[in-house]
């Protein structure tokens, strides 16, 4: 993805990111894209635009420190708190996992298991993936670990 912020689409008064059409096609094909680029290159903007185009709610998490930020958790009173990923996965929507390369590896394992198996291991039971659930990922690095510009990044497999 280039650093250009946006281009004008065919619709009057409708500005779309230059990579919008490509990413939308990928998402519609059921392929979960991962967008790589520096801060400010439009990754979140594209995800919001794709959600809007598909008529879906937009959900977001960035720099996830624990799988519970994706799966949710049960509090001391036995109440389940649903995280944005779980809500999108269960009810439909587009979820953007931003800062993948700055997130806890165990959280990424939980994410991968849900995406791969179509089932989320939530604290209150197994949740089947909604037919209108779509996932997009975003990172600043190519998954090889820290760089001079992005020091706190993890290597990803």
């Amino acid at each position: 993805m280039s650093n250009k912020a946006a281009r004008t689409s065919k619709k009057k008064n409708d500005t779309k990111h230059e990579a919008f059409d490509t990413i939308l096609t990928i998402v519609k094909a059921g392929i979960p894209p991962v967008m790589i680029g520096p801060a400010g290159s439009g990754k979140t903007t594209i995800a919001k635009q794709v959600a809007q185009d598909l008529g879906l709610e937009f959900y977001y998490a960035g720099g996830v420190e624990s799988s519970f930020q994706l799966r949710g958790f049960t509090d001391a009173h036995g109440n389940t708190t649903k995280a944005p990923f779980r809500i999108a996965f269960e009810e439909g929507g587009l979820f953007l996992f931003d800062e993948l390369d700055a997130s806890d590896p165990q959280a990424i394992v939980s994410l991968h298991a849900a995406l791969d198996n179509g089932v989320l291991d939530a604290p209150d039971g197994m949740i089947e993936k909604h037919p209108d659930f779509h996932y997009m990922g975003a990172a600043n690095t190519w998954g090889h670990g820290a760089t001079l510009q992005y020091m706190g990044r993890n290597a990803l497999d």
Side-chain angles (χ1 to χ4, degrees), residues 70-73 80-92 110-111 113-131 133:
L70 298 173
R71 296 170 45 234
F73 61 92
T80 299
T81 298
K82 296 179 180 181
F85 175 77
R86 192 268 178 74
I87 296 168
F89 194 85
E90 183 176 22
E91 299 174 14
S110 292
L111 168 86
L115 295 176
D116 194 39
N117 299 320
V119 178
L120 175 64
D121 180 18
D124 57 340
M126 304 300 271
I127 307 298
E128 296 283 328
K129 183 178 85 168
H130 192 280
F133 168 76

Side-chain angles (χ1 to χ4, degrees), residues 1-7 15-20 23 35-50 58 60 96 98 136-140 150:
M1 176 169 30
S2 79
N3 288 327
K4 291 182 184 175
R7 67 165 174 85
T15 302
K16 298 287 186 190
H17 190 281
E18 68 178 21
F20 172 78
I23 299 296
M35 301 173 290
I36 310 294
S41 59
K43 300 177 297 291
T44 302
T45 298
I46 293 172
K48 287 178 180 178
Q49 290 174 347
V50 168
F58 175 76
Y60 173 91
L96 173 64
D98 197 7
M136 294 175 69
N140 297 123
Y150 297 100

Side-chain angles (χ1 to χ4, degrees), residues 5-152:
R7 67 165 174 85
T8 303
S9 72
K10 295 173 188 165
K11 295 179 183 176
K12 189 175 182 179
N13 298 325
D14 187 19
T15 302
K16 298 287 186 190
H17 190 281
E18 68 178 21
F20 172 78
D21 292 331
T22 301
I23 299 296
L24 178 63
T25 300
I26 291 168
V27 171
K28 283 183 174 181
I31 301 167
V34 176
M35 301 173 290
I36 310 294
S41 59
K43 300 177 297 291
T44 302
T45 298
I46 293 172
K48 287 178 180 178
Q49 290 174 347
V50 168
Q52 182 178 18
D53 193 81
L54 295 175
L56 299 172
E57 290 291 321
F58 175 76
Y59 298 90
Y60 173 91
V64 174
E65 299 171 358
S66 167
S67 66
F68 296 108
Q69 288 176 274
L70 298 173
R71 296 170 45 234
F73 61 92
T74 303
D75 67 19
H77 301 286
N79 300 313
T80 299
T81 298
K82 296 179 180 181
F85 175 77
R86 192 268 178 74
I87 296 168
F89 194 85
E90 183 176 22
E91 299 174 14
L94 186 137
F95 178 80
L96 173 64
F97 190 154
D98 197 7
E99 308 294 344
L100 272 169
D101 52 350
S103 295
D104 179 73
Q106 285 305 116
I108 295 171
V109 168
S110 292
L111 168 86
H112 182 265
L115 295 176
D116 194 39
N117 299 320
V119 178
L120 175 64
D121 180 18
D124 57 340
M126 304 300 271
I127 307 298
E128 296 283 328
K129 183 178 85 168
H130 192 280
D132 290 331
F133 168 76
H134 293 279
Y135 166 82
M136 294 175 69
N140 297 123
T141 67
W142 289 94
H144 301 296
T147 66
L148 290 176
Q149 187 175 5
Y150 297 100
M151 299 298 291

